[in-house]
Amino acid sequence: MGDLIYMFASLAARHHQGVTCTNGMKLLADTLHPHGVKITWIVSPTSARLAAPLLTQWHEKYGDDVAMETPPLTGALGDKKAKVASARHGIAEALPWADVKIAAAGHQDPEIAAVLEDLGFLGLWGFCWEQIEIDDITDRGCPWGFYYMDREQRLRPGQGRGVIGMEWTARDLLKSFHSGNPSLYSTDPNDVARGGLCSWEKIDYLKSIADNYIRNTRYNQHVFLLQHQEAHEMERAPGWECYTEEDIREAAIMLDCFVDYIRPHAQMLTLTEAATLYREKYPHTPSSYMLWEDAPCPDPNPDYVWSIAKGPWPKTFLFYDRYAQMMFIEGKVEPICIRNYARSWNNREYFAEPEIPRARLISDTRYHWSRQLEIVVNSPRPMPYGLALWKDYALYQIAEAPGLLEGKILSGELLFLRYNLREGENVFHIRLQGK
């Protein structure tokens, strides 16, 4: 089993007439600190100064940390770096203990990876997996969880270490992908409440998201689950009257119940601690294996999402490495989506291959204690590719597979084989040896 890394970030950068959202921050702190959660507060220089006593107290007592809200970026690369450096300096003046290594928001800027890498930042929070247009954010194509950002294209992994792209808030990967509405199927308490999926202590759907993340520690060394809630959305005050007092109490109860559920299974880290761990363990973006089961939930409130496919959906296997991202549905060998990071990103394809080749089984021969498979794939062009053989291969291990880049047997579920296709006919021979 690998480790589930749980992180909680809170945007606490807003201020109005010399006041920041300290009441919302206190409510989040009172809710989460008893569970051992270390909160990463996303601040601006002004909000850091206004909340300095509280932030310092929580840092010393609970291990809380701060990240920097990225200021608006305009001008040439040098101008952008100067603005980011100035904001980081302003936070350091307000909080002398803070070693700001994580930036937050502003990730839509095409030069953001270069700006932050040159300034020595470890990570950038705010990516929204599969999202299109909501909050003016279109990130479809990027990986879920953590990945090292490519310096030239923020939505794809680079080939080595770089600034770590960090998800805004963890999503239900299955429902987000199949429905096309990841903003509903997320760990944001307001979204699932407004969507009618959870309420107050009734958070079975959020627990099902947690169960899927916990289950996938079987297949990964680390699974990163980052949850977020804005501090200004946890209080009702002039300048940010987002929700009613009842909505705020409901969100606090939902967070309390969710963290209580996940706490026995997770290691609680700040964003900086998680980024440091990631850099220590991985010289490049590691492969991620996520086998996701659909969880029943109420039909979404049509006044919140009026155009959405509701499922139910088949069990789905999702994979990415630094070259591609792939999705498979139960029973189908070929991926139903390949996001090829060698392709250019655009707002029609999102790295996706327009034509996915089919696989043909030539032979599947079982011997006394081994198995031999031959599979053929005809491809119109070179591309990354994978095969998901949905069957229990737990009695075997991969012995020989020429051309295989990596493979994994998910016991009781499937055998995954990762290849690169060349144009034309590709013949794959796989020998499995009994254990």
Side-chain angles (χ1 to χ4, degrees), residues 117 147-153 156-163 282-286 321-324 340-342 418 420:
E117 186 173 0
Y147 69 99
Y148 290 121
M149 298 165 59
D150 183 274
R151 186 178 172 92
E152 304 300 327
Q153 169 48 265
R156 72 181 174 211
Q159 293 309 300
R161 289 191 179 94
V163 177
Y282 303 112
H284 55 74
T285 299
D321 58 20
R322 55 189 162 143
Y323 304 104
N340 180 358
Y341 290 129
R418 169 74 170 89
N420 281 337

Side-chain angles (χ1 to χ4, degrees), residues 107-409:
H107 74 288
Q108 298 290 292
D109 189 289
E111 294 183 306
I112 190 64
V115 169
L116 298 179
E117 186 173 0
D118 290 350
L119 292 173
F121 281 80
L122 295 179
L124 173 63
W125 168 90
F127 287 86
C128 300
W129 185 70
E130 284 299 292
Q131 186 162 303
I132 297 177
E133 295 181 351
I134 302 296
D135 295 328
D136 295 321
I137 294 173
T138 296
D139 285 344
R140 179 166 289 180
C142 75
W144 56 85
F146 279 18
Y147 69 99
Y148 290 121
M149 298 165 59
D150 183 274
R151 186 178 172 92
E152 304 300 327
Q153 169 48 265
R154 64 186 183 88
L155 294 178
R156 72 181 174 211
Q159 293 309 300
R161 289 191 179 94
V163 177
I164 301 167
M166 300 175 164
E167 201 165 5
W168 183 301
T169 196
R171 321 261 169 161
D172 177 332
L173 300 184
L174 183 149
K175 282 185 167 67
S176 293
F177 173 69
H178 289 297
S179 72
N181 199 319
S183 299
L184 171 63
Y185 297 114
S186 83
T187 52
D188 184 307
N190 298 125
D191 286 342
V192 292
R194 288 186 293 174
L197 307 184
C198 296
S199 62
W200 300 96
E201 295 89 352
K202 298 177 181 179
I203 64 160
D204 288 348
Y205 174 61
L206 281 175
K207 289 179 180 178
S208 77
I209 295 179
D211 289 339
N212 274 291
Y213 277 96
I214 293 165
R215 188 182 305 114
N216 279 290
T217 59
R218 301 171 185 173
Y219 315 124
N220 300 277
Q221 186 177 0
H222 296 95
V223 173
F224 294 88
L225 194 168
L226 199 166
Q227 191 174 25
H228 169 260
Q229 175 70 352
E230 286 94 336
H232 63 266
E233 292 185 349
M234 297 299 287
E235 68 172 80
R236 188 167 176 82
W240 43 79
E241 296 175 329
C242 305
Y243 295 104
T244 66
E245 292 289 348
E246 184 176 303
D247 293 331
I248 292 166
R249 291 196 302 272
E250 181 184 39
I253 287 174
M254 292 169 67
L255 287 172
D256 181 58
C257 293
F258 181 77
V259 177
D260 183 63
Y261 184 77
I262 208 169
R263 176 176 57 176
H265 310 280
Q267 184 178 353
M268 308 290 188
L269 297 182
T270 66
L271 298 192
T272 300
E273 289 172 338
T276 301
L277 169 69
Y278 194 86
R279 286 187 64 85
E280 289 175 350
K281 295 293 185 180
Y282 303 112
H284 55 74
T285 299
S287 300
S288 178
Y289 296 82
M290 300 295 275
L291 181 66
W292 209 274
E293 296 182 6
D294 198 11
C297 67
D299 285 346
N301 184 338
D303 289 335
Y304 182 59
V305 282
W306 69 276
S307 175
I308 185 172
K310 295 180 291 188
W313 312 105
K315 185 182 294 184
T316 301
F317 173 62
L318 306 98
F319 167 87
Y320 73 74
D321 58 20
R322 55 189 162 143
Y323 304 104
Q325 184 176 155
M326 305 178 193
M327 292 77 164
F328 302 79
I329 57 173
E330 186 173 22
K332 186 171 176 60
V333 173
E334 307 92 354
I336 60 172
C337 178
I338 299 175
R339 302 202 188 280
N340 180 358
Y341 290 129
R343 294 173 60 86
S344 297
W345 186 94
N346 61 58
N347 61 3
R348 297 177 304 280
E349 295 176 336
Y350 313 101
F351 299 123
E353 285 287 347
E355 182 181 354
I356 298 176
R358 298 198 64 181
R360 291 186 294 120
L361 179 64
I362 303 302
S363 63
D364 181 358
T365 306
R366 181 178 176 183
Y367 300 97
H368 173 63
W369 206 236
S370 65
R371 198 175 202 120
Q372 190 89 23
L373 296 97
E374 182 178 353
I375 298 170
V376 172
V377 180
N378 282 289
S379 180
R381 67 185 66 84
M383 69 178 72
Y385 195 74
L387 301 166
L389 307 182
W390 295 85
K391 188 175 180 177
D392 184 4
Y393 288 91
L395 293 179
Y396 298 98
Q397 55 189 326
I398 302 171
E400 293 180 45
L404 184 70
L405 298 181
E406 62 179 291
K408 187 182 287 285
I409 294 173

